[in-house]
Amino acid sequence: MATKEFKAESKKLLDMMIHSIYSQKEIFLREIISNSSDAMDKIYYRALTDDKLDFEKDNYSIEITPDKDKRTLTISDTGIGMTEEELEANLGTIAQSGSLKFKTENESKDNHDIIGQFGVGFYSSFMVADKVTVISKALDSDQAYKWESEGADGYTITPVEKNSVGTDIILELKEDTEDEKYSEYLEEYRLRQIIKKYSDFIRYPIKMEVTESRPKKDNEKEFEEVKEVQTINSMVPIWRKNKSELKDEDYENFYMEKHYGFDKPLRYINIQADGMVRYHAILYIPESIPFDYYSKEYEKGLELYSNGVMIMEKCADLLPDYFSFVKGMVDSEDLSLNISREILQQDKQLKLIAKNIDHKIRKELEKLLKEDREKYETFYKAFGRQLKYGVYSDYGQHKDDLQNLLMFYSSKEKKMVTLDEYVSRMPEEQKYIYYAVGESNEKIDKLPQTELVADKGYEMLYFTEDIDEFAIKMLIKYKEKDFKSVSSSDLGIEDDKDKKQDEAEEKANKGLFDKMKDVLTDKVKGVRASKRLKSYPVCFATEGEVSIEMEKVLNQMPNNENVKADKILEINTNHNVFKSLKAAFDLNDQPKVDLYTNLLYNQALLIEGLPVQDPVAFSNSICELMG
């Protein structure tokens, strides 16, 4: 029979598919197996309305047969088969899918659905094969037909003999090159790997002859290799089972089988949604952080299945960045797929699933916090930073959703507390939620800025991560209570009597403070008497939106080297150092005023963990003071 040409658009599309659409050649096997599953589903549908036809599921299977000598890979099924006209229609015109047409004519029942919505999946076989042969015998037909093609040049259809109903697809693999080893698709271990990865949950058995090593019958110390046909896929996915059938170990085993992590999951979520969009999901909250979590190599995302067939290994669109640590899978019946199952349309269904998953994860974390504080703190130690990023990112769009999940170390409780717990303990007269920022809890304990707040008996939250203050600045307030840094120029603690005393003191020392400001030039915005210091001689206060800790963080970023906080040098007027400084000023001893001023400024820098600009001059000043 003469070779028939593909239509012009089909030639172009085939060429595009082979060279660009599929990113991984191994998925050709997934596509062919999915089509075989479709073919058996069609018999099931026919049996629903045809009393003469019985559907016994045990009679239906897919068989994989590699032949290294002939360099062929054969995929056989016992499905509905194709007539000559169907071979012409389904394989002669790319993107003409019998499955898609069939799906529109039949309602899904008893978990049977048609996977292959587009006929182009079959043509992925040309990525690995020089020649593809399809031998098919349709149900209710006495004649079988063979479809053959070597690619875009065309195809032939001829009558052949075939004893049983179904389809055999024979791939004559390409020769190996330096870049591609097509022989791997004849290796038993590689075929098993691909089937388990993409087609493990196809509901019909996928069978293949495998080699097993077993003890000999007459001598158990010696082993022999035995070949036997085994079912490679598990067929029934965990998410399709009733929740009541599953135990904790089932979820843990699935977690390990799918290589979601080497740890044990802290929590799992089983979702079976049947509303505006139908889907099943198994989600896991890991116990420990992956080693590459904050590297460029880490990819967030959930495995995405369409009716049990994996179509994406990492679907990033299903998870917001602040929940990027969540592992698991989603299987949906409603996703719209375009020309390749690898490429998803950004459709309404996917966005609905993502929104629902976001809500479910958040509620599960809130439940964990309430029911098992120790486990939640384990989780928070690993991933709390990511939640804070979620509060800060997207201009605070998600802050209301995430604020109840945040935790910080408490100066009073000496442990991690939530914002709700902090606010519930606030005295009636306390106006603000106070926080202090530093490298560690131990260093914050020693900060001079904490003295007044601690003296009042108010609880402070300790911020020790660089993201903490940025997140809180975005949060602004919690339950109508504003956040206030202990380094803020106005702590909102003083009463009217204190304010009058401070004003009198400020007035009495105005000349000295002005002189100190002149000595320090533009290094500080001002110098004033401290309202907060009890035992320390000096500290910085800040005004404006940028704190000293934020200054440190921002200056570590590329192209952000000149960010400065508005610093106020606060002096403890009750300290002996100030008395010496005041005496020098009263005696008009300008060199000593300069010396004390610079020493106090550098001392404030060191307290904040900021670099002294001229260490040599600083050490000389100390020596001069000691002399």
Side-chain angles (χ1 to χ4, degrees):
M1 182 178 286
T3 299
K4 298 183 179 181
E5 287 192 3
F6 292 114
K7 292 182 180 178
E9 63 272 19
S10 297
K11 279 187 183 182
K12 187 176 180 181
L13 191 51
L14 176 58
D15 187 65
M16 286 173 57
M17 277 204 47
I18 292 172
H19 294 106
S20 65
I21 287 182
Y22 288 102
S23 61
Q24 293 178 300
K25 288 182 169 57
E26 65 185 26
I27 55 85
F28 79 91
L29 189 56
R30 176 194 71 185
E31 296 298 301
I32 295 174
I33 288 173
S34 294
N35 290 341
S36 295
S37 176
D38 293 348
M40 289 180 282
D41 280 346
K42 288 176 183 177
I43 294 184
Y44 166 79
Y45 277 103
R46 177 84 70 85
L48 292 176
T49 55
D50 188 345
D51 294 336
K52 297 178 183 177
L53 186 61
D54 290 327
F55 183 82
E56 295 290 339
K57 189 175 179 181
D58 292 343
N59 296 333
Y60 297 91
S61 64
I62 301 164
E63 189 170 337
I64 312 294
T65 308
D67 188 325
K68 290 183 180 180
D69 294 332
K70 295 181 180 179
R71 285 187 65 78
T72 60
L73 180 66
T74 303
I75 300 95
S76 303
D77 67 62
T78 54
I80 200 164
M82 288 177 278
T83 63
E84 181 180 12
E85 292 76 16
E86 287 168 336
L87 283 168
E88 178 83 47
N90 295 339
L91 304 186
T93 305
I94 297 177
Q96 170 65 42
S97 170
S99 295
L100 177 60
K101 181 181 178 184
F102 195 87
K103 184 174 183 178
T104 60
E105 296 172 354
N106 293 272
E107 292 294 326
S108 176
K109 297 175 185 177
D110 299 340
N111 284 329
H112 281 73
D113 203 351
I114 302 298
I115 299 166
Q117 297 182 28
F118 295 86
V120 294
F122 163 77
Y123 287 86
S124 61
S125 56
F126 284 100
M127 290 190 298
V128 299
D130 285 327
K131 181 178 180 182
V132 178
T133 302
V134 179
I135 299 173
S136 192
K137 184 177 183 181
L139 188 69
D140 302 327
S141 175
D142 295 327
Q143 181 63 59
Y145 292 90
K146 178 171 72 175
W147 181 99
E148 279 187 311
S149 175
E150 295 183 4
D153 289 340
Y155 60 93
T156 61
I157 299 177
T158 55
V160 291
E161 293 294 323
K162 190 177 188 308
N163 294 328
S164 58
V165 172
T167 301
D168 301 329
I169 298 175
I170 304 149
L171 309 182
E172 296 183 25
L173 297 183
K174 296 179 180 181
E175 293 296 326
D176 293 345
T177 66
E178 286 187 12
D179 298 326
E180 296 288 349
K181 303 299 179 187
Y182 298 101
S183 298
E184 67 176 312
Y185 303 119
L186 298 173
E187 296 293 339
E188 180 186 308
Y189 80 93
R190 186 71 173 104
L191 292 169
R192 289 177 71 135
Q193 185 185 55
I194 296 170
I195 292 166
K196 291 295 287 185
K197 180 177 180 180
Y198 294 106
S199 307
D200 199 31
F201 306 119
I202 289 286
R203 54 189 156 264
Y204 301 100
I206 301 170
K207 297 181 178 181
M208 186 171 73
E209 187 177 71
V210 299
T211 305
E212 294 284 342
S213 182
R214 292 179 182 172
K216 290 184 176 180
K217 290 182 179 179
D218 54 349
N219 186 352
E220 292 191 357
K221 292 182 179 180
E222 292 185 14
F223 287 79
E224 62 181 351
E225 289 190 344
V226 179
K227 289 185 176 291
E228 66 176 16
V229 175
Q230 290 185 4
T231 297
I232 307 301
N233 59 324
S234 59
M235 290 186 282
V236 182
I238 184 174
W239 61 86
R240 295 282 185 183
K241 296 178 180 179
N242 291 328
K243 292 182 183 181
S244 58
E245 296 177 28
L246 299 171
K247 300 176 182 178
D248 288 345
E249 52 262 38
D250 294 318
Y251 292 103
E252 289 172 9
N253 289 339
F254 185 68
Y255 185 84
M256 297 303 291
E257 285 169 11
K258 299 300 290 181
H259 304 293
Y260 291 143
F262 296 104
D263 57 343
K264 274 192 175 183
L266 274 179
R267 206 81 162 187
Y268 56 80
I269 310 168
N270 188 333
I271 307 172
Q272 296 182 351
D274 197 17
M276 293 179 65
V277 59
R278 294 174 297 167
Y279 73 94
H280 294 80
I282 304 287
L283 309 177
Y284 294 95
I285 298 167
E287 181 179 48
S288 56
I289 191 167
F291 72 93
D292 62 344
Y293 189 63
Y294 287 110
S295 71
K296 291 180 180 178
E297 284 71 35
Y298 183 81
E299 287 184 79
K300 72 164 185 172
L302 302 175
E303 289 182 333
L304 184 60
Y305 292 78
S306 176
N307 294 287
V309 178
M310 192 172 79
I311 56 175
M312 288 185 77
E313 198 166 4
K314 297 274 187 182
C315 183
D317 293 330
L318 286 171
L319 287 176
D321 285 341
Y322 50 84
F323 288 153
S324 59
F325 49 81
V326 173
K327 303 290 184 182
M329 52 65 55
V330 173
D331 184 14
S332 177
E333 302 173 13
D334 298 330
L335 286 176
S336 299
L337 307 177
N338 60 15
I339 196 168
S340 161
R341 292 186 182 93
E342 279 191 314
I343 304 170
L344 272 174
Q345 295 174 343
Q346 295 302 310
D347 57 12
K348 186 179 177 183
Q349 287 89 350
L350 192 67
K351 290 176 182 177
L352 278 172
I353 293 172
K355 184 178 179 182
N356 193 281
I357 284 173
D358 184 0
H359 176 77
K360 293 283 188 182
I361 296 170
R362 189 159 29 89
K363 290 301 178 186
E364 192 64 31
L365 288 173
E366 289 174 359
K367 187 178 176 185
L368 182 63
L369 173 60
K370 185 178 179 182
E371 295 179 353
D372 195 333
R373 182 62 167 254
E374 187 177 345
K375 270 192 176 182
Y376 186 81
E377 290 191 22
T378 299
F379 153 77
Y380 195 80
K381 186 176 181 181
F383 301 108
R385 183 182 185 87
Q386 202 63 21
L387 300 184
K388 296 169 195 172
Y389 273 116
V391 169
Y392 177 73
S393 63
D394 297 329
Y395 305 99
Q397 183 179 340
H398 313 289
K399 62 183 183 181
D400 292 340
D401 294 333
L402 298 174
Q403 60 184 355
N404 289 324
L405 296 173
L406 301 182
M407 298 186 85
F408 301 96
Y409 183 83
S410 161
S411 63
K412 186 171 284 189
E413 298 294 314
K414 304 300 180 187
K415 63 181 183 181
M416 299 294 282
V417 300
T418 66
L419 297 177
D420 184 63
E421 288 164 347
Y422 179 100
V423 170
S424 69
R425 289 191 291 267
M426 284 175 62
E428 192 173 340
E429 75 276 4
Q430 185 179 337
K431 299 176 184 176
Y432 301 107
I433 300 172
Y434 292 103
Y435 66 87
V437 187
E439 292 179 16
S440 67
N441 295 336
E442 293 73 25
K443 288 188 176 181
I444 295 175
D445 277 333
K446 299 172 184 176
L447 283 179
Q449 291 94 330
T450 63
E451 284 192 307
L452 179 60
V453 179
D455 191 52
K456 282 284 185 181
Y458 294 159
E459 185 175 2
M460 288 170 281
L461 300 175
Y462 285 8
F463 292 176
T464 55
E465 290 193 310
D466 51 14
I467 185 62
D468 289 349
E469 200 169 9
F470 289 90
I472 290 303
K473 292 276 186 184
M474 188 63 74
L475 203 55
I476 303 173
K477 62 176 62 181
Y478 180 80
K479 291 194 173 179
E480 304 307 314
K481 294 289 184 181
D482 290 328
F483 291 91
K484 179 76 73 173
S485 169
V486 296
S487 299
S488 176
S489 57
D490 179 13
L491 291 173
I493 288 177
E494 291 180 303
D495 56 26
D496 292 338
K497 183 180 177 182
D498 292 331
K499 286 181 181 177
K500 287 179 181 179
Q501 287 178 348
D502 290 337
E503 287 170 7
E505 195 169 288
E506 200 73 36
K507 189 175 182 181
N509 293 304
K510 186 176 186 304
L512 172 56
F513 293 155
D514 287 346
K515 179 62 69 175
M516 293 176 73
K517 173 67 174 72
D518 291 340
V519 172
L520 296 172
T521 59
D522 60 350
K523 294 175 183 175
V524 297
K525 191 174 182 182
V527 181
R528 70 185 179 202
S530 180
K531 306 166 187 177
R532 76 192 80 218
L533 293 174
K534 301 295 179 185
S535 59
Y536 293 87
V538 67
C539 75
F540 282 133
T542 56
E543 290 183 349
E545 290 300 312
V546 179
S547 71
I548 290 173
E549 290 300 318
M550 293 171 77
E551 173 188 312
K552 293 179 192 176
V553 174
L554 292 170
N555 284 333
Q556 289 173 355
M557 296 180 179
N559 305 319
N560 271 333
E561 297 177 0
N562 295 307
V563 177
K564 297 293 181 186
D566 290 332
K567 301 179 186 72
I568 310 291
L569 188 68
E570 289 198 353
I571 309 296
N572 183 353
T573 54
N574 296 315
H575 201 279
N576 289 335
V577 171
F578 178 76
K579 292 174 183 177
S580 299
L581 175 61
K582 184 76 165 63
F585 176 74
D586 291 341
L587 291 171
N588 201 25
D589 187 348
Q590 188 59 42
K592 192 164 277 191
V593 170
D594 291 355
L595 177 66
Y596 283 146
T597 298
N598 281 309
L599 279 170
L600 286 168
Y601 172 73
N602 284 318
Q603 186 181 359
L605 287 174
L606 289 171
I607 289 170
E608 292 292 346
L610 292 168
V612 173
Q613 293 165 330
D614 191 342
V616 175
F618 178 57
S619 61
N620 288 339
S621 296
I622 293 174
C623 291
E624 185 180 343
L625 187 66
M626 292 171 69

